[in-house]
Amino acid sequence: MDRDFFSGRPDHQAVSVLVHEMLHSLGLQGHVDAPAFQDSNMYNAWFRLDGSLPAIDAAGLQALYTRLGEETEPEDLSVSSLGAWSRETVHLGGELDDVAFGVRHSNGVSMPWTTGAEPAGALADNTGLSGTATWNGGLLGFTPALEVVGGNAELSVDLGTMDGRAEFTELQSWAAGAAPGTLGTGSRWNTGSLGYTIAVAGNYLRSTGGDDGIVNGQFYGADHEGVAGSLERDDLTAAFGAARD
């Protein structure tokens, strides 16, 4: 990607274009022209992606890699060639001040998502913050057996180094199909806590070490009042959201 081209543009435009081109490389070769599909990143490579792939693009990849044979020709494609698709989805979701977050599950795949208002600038340039900033909130997710997992989420960032920690504590589980209850009503999940070191660039964060799994996220709100993201492991697909203290 041409750094000069994206210099001065919002971070989300570079992310959106990068995802668009990666989808091409994964096999979505064409562009969607019909206005009926304007929520696809293959229709508009410039819109802001909030925390996950658009649902229609995720379904496209799922069809490409799980429903079609390697030698399938375009002329052999049809609705029936994709087999049976579920008409139902299962959702977990939460909302906290400037962020909303959750996980949707359909056709055997759990997908975390987040959304919120775009910050006015990069976290490192927020002159109203200094020292270490902390955000507190919650986590929601599914195990592979669709058991529901919930817990607390705390993120802290040293604004001098832009490094920090993501801590998920009091992790509890409830039976598949049940709504998450208040903490203390479920069974302890795994060891009950997970921790990661994180690094921040612009308004995006990623894990750099810690327990098994990958943490990704972004900051929300004009003054970075919120943060939300995903935690993905072999035994858990979760989303988290938190508000700044």
Side-chain angles (χ1 to χ4, degrees), residues 105-130:
H105 180 90
S106 62
N107 294 298
V109 176
S110 293
M111 176 76 69
W113 58 267
T114 68
T115 188
E118 184 175 4
L123 179 62
D125 298 330
N126 189 334
T127 58
L129 301 177
S130 61

Side-chain angles (χ1 to χ4, degrees), residues 3 17-18 37 54 73 75 91 95 136 153 162 174 192 244:
R3 289 181 178 270
V17 171
L18 179 60
F37 302 113
E73 297 293 338
E75 58 269 21
H91 290 264
E95 189 170 346
N136 277 283
M162 302 309 292
W174 293 266
R244 197 177 74 236

Side-chain angles (χ1 to χ4, degrees), residues 187-213:
S187 301
R188 187 177 72 174
W189 180 82
N190 200 297
T191 63
S193 64
L194 297 168
Y196 303 87
T197 55
I198 59 173
V200 177
N203 286 312
Y204 295 86
L205 67 90
R206 61 180 176 84
S207 57
T208 56
D211 286 309
D212 291 340

Side-chain angles (χ1 to χ4, degrees), residues 16-63:
S16 183
V17 171
L18 179 60
V19 169
H20 176 94
E21 299 304 332
M22 290 179 67
L23 288 173
H24 277 316
S25 70
L26 288 170
L28 301 185
Q29 295 299 316
H31 292 102
V32 180
D33 297 321
F37 302 113
Q38 57 187 305
D39 56 341
S40 168
N41 187 241
M42 305 312 292
Y43 172 82
N44 179 2
W46 291 103
F47 68 53
R48 185 160 173 251
L49 298 176
D50 281 310
S52 69
L53 282 176
I56 191 170
D57 296 330
L61 288 178
Q62 188 175 358

Side-chain angles (χ1 to χ4, degrees), residues 23-239:
L23 288 173
H24 277 316
S25 70
L26 288 170
L28 301 185
Q29 295 299 316
H31 292 102
V32 180
D33 297 321
F37 302 113
Q38 57 187 305
D39 56 341
S40 168
N41 187 241
M42 305 312 292
Y43 172 82
N44 179 2
W46 291 103
F47 68 53
R48 185 160 173 251
L49 298 176
D50 281 310
S52 69
L53 282 176
I56 191 170
D57 296 330
L61 288 178
Q62 188 175 358
L64 188 63
Y65 284 92
T66 68
R67 299 301 178 94
L68 301 177
E70 292 183 6
E71 304 299 326
T72 303
E73 297 293 338
E75 58 269 21
D76 295 329
L77 287 173
S78 67
V79 173
S80 60
S81 69
L82 297 177
W85 285 71
S86 173
R87 293 181 178 272
E88 296 182 353
T89 61
V90 182
H91 290 264
L92 287 172
E95 189 170 346
L96 185 64
D97 293 343
D98 289 86
V99 299
F101 60 98
V103 182
R104 63 177 180 267
H105 180 90
S106 62
N107 294 298
V109 176
S110 293
M111 176 76 69
W113 58 267
T114 68
T115 188
E118 184 175 4
L123 179 62
D125 298 330
N126 189 334
T127 58
L129 301 177
S130 61
T132 298
T134 304
W135 292 258
N136 277 283
L139 171 144
L140 291 169
F142 288 121
T143 69
L146 288 187
E147 295 169 316
V148 174
V149 175
N152 294 325
E154 179 181 280
L155 279 82
S156 58
V157 177
D158 181 325
L159 297 166
T161 64
M162 302 309 292
D163 294 324
R165 293 283 302 177
E167 303 286 352
F168 304 102
T169 58
E170 295 190 53
L171 298 176
Q172 299 179 13
S173 65
W174 293 266
T182 57
L183 294 183
T185 64
S187 301
R188 187 177 72 174
W189 180 82
N190 200 297
T191 63
S193 64
L194 297 168
Y196 303 87
T197 55
I198 59 173
V200 177
N203 286 312
Y204 295 86
L205 67 90
R206 61 180 176 84
S207 57
T208 56
D211 286 309
D212 291 340
I214 298 174
V215 175
N216 286 291
Q218 59 191 99
F219 294 90
Y220 291 107
D223 292 315
H224 307 93
E225 295 92 342
V227 63
S230 62
L231 166 58
E232 297 186 84
R233 298 163 41 101
D234 290 342
D235 55 1
L236 178 66
T237 299

